[in-house]
Short mmCIF file of all heavy atoms in Angstrom, two decimals:
data_model
loop_
_atom_site.label_atom_id
_atom_site.label_comp_id
_atom_site.label_asym_id
_atom_site.label_seq_id
_atom_site.Cartn_x
_atom_site.Cartn_y
_atom_site.Cartn_z
N TYR A 155 98.55 216.60 -148.21
CA TYR A 155 97.56 215.67 -148.77
C TYR A 155 96.59 215.22 -147.69
O TYR A 155 96.91 215.16 -146.51
CB TYR A 155 98.25 214.43 -149.36
CG TYR A 155 99.16 214.73 -150.53
CD1 TYR A 155 100.55 214.71 -150.37
CD2 TYR A 155 98.64 215.04 -151.78
CE1 TYR A 155 101.40 214.99 -151.43
CE2 TYR A 155 99.47 215.32 -152.86
CZ TYR A 155 100.85 215.30 -152.68
OH TYR A 155 101.68 215.58 -153.73
N GLY A 156 95.40 214.90 -148.14
CA GLY A 156 94.41 214.27 -147.29
C GLY A 156 94.01 212.94 -147.91
O GLY A 156 93.99 212.79 -149.14
N PHE A 157 93.72 211.96 -147.07
CA PHE A 157 93.27 210.65 -147.52
C PHE A 157 91.83 210.46 -147.06
O PHE A 157 91.55 210.60 -145.86
CB PHE A 157 94.15 209.54 -146.94
CG PHE A 157 95.62 209.72 -147.24
CD1 PHE A 157 96.44 210.43 -146.38
CD2 PHE A 157 96.17 209.18 -148.40
CE1 PHE A 157 97.80 210.60 -146.66
CE2 PHE A 157 97.52 209.35 -148.68
CZ PHE A 157 98.34 210.05 -147.81
N THR A 158 90.94 210.18 -147.99
CA THR A 158 89.52 210.08 -147.67
C THR A 158 88.94 208.79 -148.23
O THR A 158 89.26 208.43 -149.38
CB THR A 158 88.74 211.28 -148.25
OG1 THR A 158 89.34 212.49 -147.80
CG2 THR A 158 87.29 211.26 -147.80
N VAL A 159 88.13 208.10 -147.44
CA VAL A 159 87.53 206.87 -147.95
C VAL A 159 86.45 207.20 -148.99
O VAL A 159 85.72 208.19 -148.87
CB VAL A 159 86.92 206.00 -146.85
CG1 VAL A 159 87.99 205.47 -145.93
CG2 VAL A 159 85.86 206.71 -146.06
N MET A 160 86.39 206.37 -150.01
CA MET A 160 85.35 206.43 -151.03
C MET A 160 84.54 205.14 -150.88
O MET A 160 85.09 204.05 -150.95
CB MET A 160 85.96 206.47 -152.44
CG MET A 160 86.89 207.63 -152.68
SD MET A 160 87.92 207.37 -154.16
CE MET A 160 86.69 206.94 -155.39
N LEU A 161 83.25 205.28 -150.63
CA LEU A 161 82.43 204.07 -150.45
C LEU A 161 81.31 204.03 -151.47
O LEU A 161 80.71 205.04 -151.81
CB LEU A 161 81.88 204.01 -149.03
CG LEU A 161 80.95 205.12 -148.56
CD1 LEU A 161 79.49 204.66 -148.63
CD2 LEU A 161 81.28 205.55 -147.15
N SER A 162 81.06 202.83 -151.96
CA SER A 162 79.98 202.60 -152.91
C SER A 162 78.74 202.18 -152.12
O SER A 162 78.72 201.10 -151.54
CB SER A 162 80.37 201.51 -153.90
OG SER A 162 79.27 201.12 -154.70
N PRO A 163 77.71 203.04 -152.04
CA PRO A 163 76.59 202.75 -151.15
C PRO A 163 75.80 201.49 -151.50
O PRO A 163 75.25 200.84 -150.61
CB PRO A 163 75.71 204.00 -151.27
CG PRO A 163 76.11 204.64 -152.54
CD PRO A 163 77.56 204.33 -152.72
N ASP A 164 75.75 201.13 -152.78
CA ASP A 164 75.01 199.94 -153.16
C ASP A 164 75.91 198.74 -153.44
O ASP A 164 75.44 197.67 -153.83
CB ASP A 164 74.12 200.21 -154.38
CG ASP A 164 74.93 200.66 -155.60
OD1 ASP A 164 76.17 200.69 -155.52
OD2 ASP A 164 74.30 200.98 -156.63
N GLY A 165 77.21 198.91 -153.23
CA GLY A 165 78.14 197.80 -153.44
C GLY A 165 78.37 197.45 -154.89
O GLY A 165 79.00 196.42 -155.19
N SER A 166 77.94 198.30 -155.81
CA SER A 166 78.10 198.00 -157.23
C SER A 166 79.50 198.29 -157.73
O SER A 166 79.91 197.81 -158.79
CB SER A 166 77.09 198.80 -158.06
OG SER A 166 77.32 200.20 -157.93
N GLN A 167 80.25 199.09 -156.97
CA GLN A 167 81.62 199.41 -157.32
C GLN A 167 82.52 199.10 -156.13
O GLN A 167 82.06 199.08 -154.98
CB GLN A 167 81.76 200.89 -157.68
CG GLN A 167 80.89 201.36 -158.83
CD GLN A 167 81.11 202.84 -159.11
OE1 GLN A 167 82.23 203.27 -159.38
NE2 GLN A 167 80.04 203.62 -159.06
N PRO A 168 83.80 198.89 -156.35
CA PRO A 168 84.70 198.72 -155.21
C PRO A 168 84.81 200.03 -154.42
O PRO A 168 84.69 201.11 -154.98
CB PRO A 168 86.05 198.37 -155.86
CG PRO A 168 85.74 198.01 -157.27
CD PRO A 168 84.49 198.75 -157.64
N ASP A 169 85.05 199.92 -153.12
CA ASP A 169 85.39 201.09 -152.32
C ASP A 169 86.86 201.44 -152.58
O ASP A 169 87.60 200.66 -153.19
CB ASP A 169 85.19 200.79 -150.84
CG ASP A 169 83.72 200.64 -150.47
OD1 ASP A 169 82.87 200.84 -151.34
OD2 ASP A 169 83.44 200.30 -149.31
N GLY A 170 87.28 202.60 -152.10
CA GLY A 170 88.65 203.00 -152.34
C GLY A 170 89.11 204.12 -151.42
O GLY A 170 88.39 204.54 -150.51
N ILE A 171 90.31 204.58 -151.68
CA ILE A 171 90.89 205.72 -150.97
C ILE A 171 91.19 206.81 -152.00
O ILE A 171 91.83 206.55 -153.03
CB ILE A 171 92.20 205.34 -150.25
CG1 ILE A 171 91.95 204.25 -149.20
CG2 ILE A 171 92.83 206.57 -149.58
CD1 ILE A 171 91.10 204.67 -148.03
N ALA A 172 90.71 208.01 -151.74
CA ALA A 172 91.01 209.17 -152.58
C ALA A 172 92.08 210.02 -151.91
O ALA A 172 92.05 210.22 -150.69
CB ALA A 172 89.75 210.00 -152.81
N VAL A 173 93.02 210.51 -152.69
CA VAL A 173 94.05 211.41 -152.19
C VAL A 173 93.72 212.82 -152.67
O VAL A 173 93.57 213.05 -153.88
CB VAL A 173 95.45 210.99 -152.70
CG1 VAL A 173 96.52 211.93 -152.12
CG2 VAL A 173 95.75 209.54 -152.32
N ILE A 174 93.57 213.75 -151.73
CA ILE A 174 93.18 215.13 -152.03
C ILE A 174 94.39 216.03 -151.88
O ILE A 174 95.12 215.95 -150.88
CB ILE A 174 92.07 215.62 -151.06
CG1 ILE A 174 91.00 214.55 -150.84
CG2 ILE A 174 91.46 216.93 -151.57
CD1 ILE A 174 90.21 214.16 -152.03
N ASP A 175 94.61 216.91 -152.85
CA ASP A 175 95.69 217.90 -152.77
C ASP A 175 95.25 219.03 -151.84
O ASP A 175 94.28 219.73 -152.12
CB ASP A 175 96.00 218.44 -154.17
CG ASP A 175 97.28 219.28 -154.21
OD1 ASP A 175 97.55 220.00 -153.22
OD2 ASP A 175 97.98 219.24 -155.23
N LEU A 176 95.97 219.21 -150.73
CA LEU A 176 95.61 220.22 -149.73
C LEU A 176 96.61 221.38 -149.68
O LEU A 176 96.53 222.21 -148.78
CB LEU A 176 95.51 219.57 -148.34
CG LEU A 176 94.52 218.41 -148.22
CD1 LEU A 176 94.51 217.87 -146.79
CD2 LEU A 176 93.12 218.84 -148.63
N ASN A 177 97.51 221.43 -150.63
CA ASN A 177 98.51 222.49 -150.67
C ASN A 177 97.96 223.67 -151.47
O ASN A 177 97.80 223.58 -152.68
CB ASN A 177 99.80 221.98 -151.32
CG ASN A 177 100.90 223.02 -151.34
OD1 ASN A 177 100.70 224.19 -151.00
ND2 ASN A 177 102.09 222.60 -151.75
N PRO A 178 97.65 224.80 -150.81
CA PRO A 178 97.03 225.93 -151.52
C PRO A 178 97.92 226.52 -152.62
O PRO A 178 97.42 227.25 -153.48
CB PRO A 178 96.77 226.95 -150.41
CG PRO A 178 97.67 226.57 -149.29
CD PRO A 178 97.85 225.09 -149.38
N LYS A 179 99.21 226.19 -152.62
CA LYS A 179 100.10 226.70 -153.66
C LYS A 179 100.15 225.77 -154.88
O LYS A 179 100.76 226.11 -155.89
CB LYS A 179 101.52 226.87 -153.10
CG LYS A 179 101.61 227.92 -151.99
CD LYS A 179 103.04 228.04 -151.47
CE LYS A 179 103.11 229.08 -150.35
NZ LYS A 179 104.50 229.20 -149.81
N SER A 180 99.48 224.64 -154.77
CA SER A 180 99.50 223.67 -155.86
C SER A 180 98.45 224.02 -156.92
O SER A 180 97.36 224.50 -156.60
CB SER A 180 99.22 222.27 -155.32
OG SER A 180 98.96 221.35 -156.37
N ALA A 181 98.77 223.72 -158.17
CA ALA A 181 97.81 223.94 -159.26
C ALA A 181 96.63 222.99 -159.16
O ALA A 181 95.57 223.26 -159.74
CB ALA A 181 98.51 223.75 -160.60
N LYS A 182 96.78 221.90 -158.41
CA LYS A 182 95.71 220.91 -158.27
C LYS A 182 95.04 220.98 -156.90
O LYS A 182 94.36 220.04 -156.48
CB LYS A 182 96.26 219.51 -158.52
CG LYS A 182 96.77 219.33 -159.96
CD LYS A 182 97.24 217.90 -160.19
CE LYS A 182 97.69 217.72 -161.64
NZ LYS A 182 98.16 216.33 -161.90
N TYR A 183 95.23 222.08 -156.21
CA TYR A 183 94.64 222.28 -154.87
C TYR A 183 93.14 222.00 -154.88
O TYR A 183 92.42 222.46 -155.77
CB TYR A 183 94.90 223.71 -154.42
CG TYR A 183 94.23 224.11 -153.13
CD1 TYR A 183 94.56 223.50 -151.93
CD2 TYR A 183 93.28 225.14 -153.11
CE1 TYR A 183 93.97 223.89 -150.73
CE2 TYR A 183 92.69 225.53 -151.92
CZ TYR A 183 93.03 224.90 -150.74
OH TYR A 183 92.43 225.29 -149.57
N GLY A 184 92.70 221.24 -153.89
CA GLY A 184 91.27 220.98 -153.74
C GLY A 184 90.71 220.01 -154.75
O GLY A 184 89.50 220.01 -155.00
N THR A 185 91.56 219.16 -155.32
CA THR A 185 91.09 218.15 -156.26
C THR A 185 91.61 216.78 -155.85
O THR A 185 92.58 216.66 -155.10
CB THR A 185 91.54 218.44 -157.70
OG1 THR A 185 92.97 218.31 -157.78
CG2 THR A 185 91.11 219.83 -158.15
N ILE A 186 90.97 215.73 -156.36
CA ILE A 186 91.45 214.36 -156.16
C ILE A 186 92.60 214.13 -157.14
O ILE A 186 92.43 214.22 -158.35
CB ILE A 186 90.32 213.35 -156.40
CG1 ILE A 186 89.20 213.53 -155.36
CG2 ILE A 186 90.87 211.91 -156.33
CD1 ILE A 186 87.98 212.66 -155.60
N VAL A 187 93.78 213.87 -156.60
CA VAL A 187 94.96 213.71 -157.45
C VAL A 187 95.36 212.25 -157.62
O VAL A 187 96.24 211.93 -158.43
CB VAL A 187 96.15 214.53 -156.90
CG1 VAL A 187 95.90 216.02 -157.10
CG2 VAL A 187 96.42 214.22 -155.43
N HIS A 188 94.75 211.37 -156.86
CA HIS A 188 95.03 209.94 -157.01
C HIS A 188 93.92 209.17 -156.30
O HIS A 188 93.33 209.67 -155.33
CB HIS A 188 96.39 209.58 -156.39
CG HIS A 188 96.72 208.12 -156.41
ND1 HIS A 188 96.84 207.39 -157.57
CD2 HIS A 188 96.95 207.25 -155.39
CE1 HIS A 188 97.14 206.14 -157.28
NE2 HIS A 188 97.22 206.03 -155.96
N GLN A 189 93.62 207.99 -156.78
CA GLN A 189 92.68 207.12 -156.08
C GLN A 189 93.09 205.67 -156.25
O GLN A 189 93.65 205.29 -157.28
CB GLN A 189 91.24 207.34 -156.54
CG GLN A 189 91.00 207.27 -158.02
CD GLN A 189 89.55 207.57 -158.36
OE1 GLN A 189 88.65 206.79 -158.05
NE2 GLN A 189 89.31 208.70 -159.01
N LEU A 190 92.85 204.90 -155.21
CA LEU A 190 93.14 203.46 -155.23
C LEU A 190 91.85 202.72 -154.93
O LEU A 190 91.26 202.89 -153.85
CB LEU A 190 94.20 203.13 -154.17
CG LEU A 190 94.51 201.63 -153.99
CD1 LEU A 190 95.20 201.07 -155.24
CD2 LEU A 190 95.38 201.41 -152.75
N LEU A 191 91.40 201.91 -155.87
CA LEU A 191 90.20 201.10 -155.69
C LEU A 191 90.59 199.69 -155.27
O LEU A 191 91.62 199.16 -155.69
CB LEU A 191 89.37 201.07 -156.97
CG LEU A 191 88.80 202.42 -157.43
CD1 LEU A 191 88.03 202.25 -158.73
CD2 LEU A 191 87.90 203.02 -156.36
N MET A 192 89.75 199.06 -154.45
CA MET A 192 90.04 197.75 -153.92
C MET A 192 89.66 196.65 -154.92
O MET A 192 88.89 196.88 -155.85
CB MET A 192 89.27 197.53 -152.61
CG MET A 192 89.63 198.56 -151.52
SD MET A 192 91.38 198.62 -151.10
CE MET A 192 91.83 200.25 -151.68
N PRO A 193 90.16 195.44 -154.74
CA PRO A 193 89.82 194.33 -155.65
C PRO A 193 88.49 193.66 -155.33
O PRO A 193 88.06 192.77 -156.07
CB PRO A 193 90.99 193.36 -155.45
CG PRO A 193 91.45 193.61 -154.06
CD PRO A 193 91.26 195.08 -153.82
N ASN A 194 87.85 194.07 -154.23
CA ASN A 194 86.57 193.47 -153.82
C ASN A 194 85.47 194.52 -153.82
O ASN A 194 85.73 195.72 -153.82
CB ASN A 194 86.70 192.87 -152.41
CG ASN A 194 87.79 191.83 -152.33
OD1 ASN A 194 87.66 190.73 -152.85
ND2 ASN A 194 88.89 192.17 -151.65
N LYS A 195 84.22 194.06 -153.77
CA LYS A 195 83.06 194.94 -153.64
C LYS A 195 82.35 194.63 -152.32
O LYS A 195 82.51 193.56 -151.75
CB LYS A 195 82.10 194.74 -154.81
CG LYS A 195 82.67 195.12 -156.17
CD LYS A 195 81.66 194.87 -157.28
CE LYS A 195 82.25 195.23 -158.64
NZ LYS A 195 81.28 194.97 -159.75
#
Side-chain angles (χ1 to χ4, degrees):
Y155 297 105
F157 304 90
T158 306
V159 294
M160 302 164 51
L161 62 101
S162 171
D164 59 4
S166 63
Q167 302 180 57
D169 291 355
I171 299 293
V173 182
I174 318 296
D175 191 324
L176 303 180
N177 183 352
K179 296 180 181 179
S180 168
K182 296 183 178 180
Y183 173 64
T185 66
I186 296 174
V187 289
H188 176 61
Q189 52 183 292
L190 175 68
L191 296 178
M192 300 303 113
N194 302 288
K195 296 179 181 179

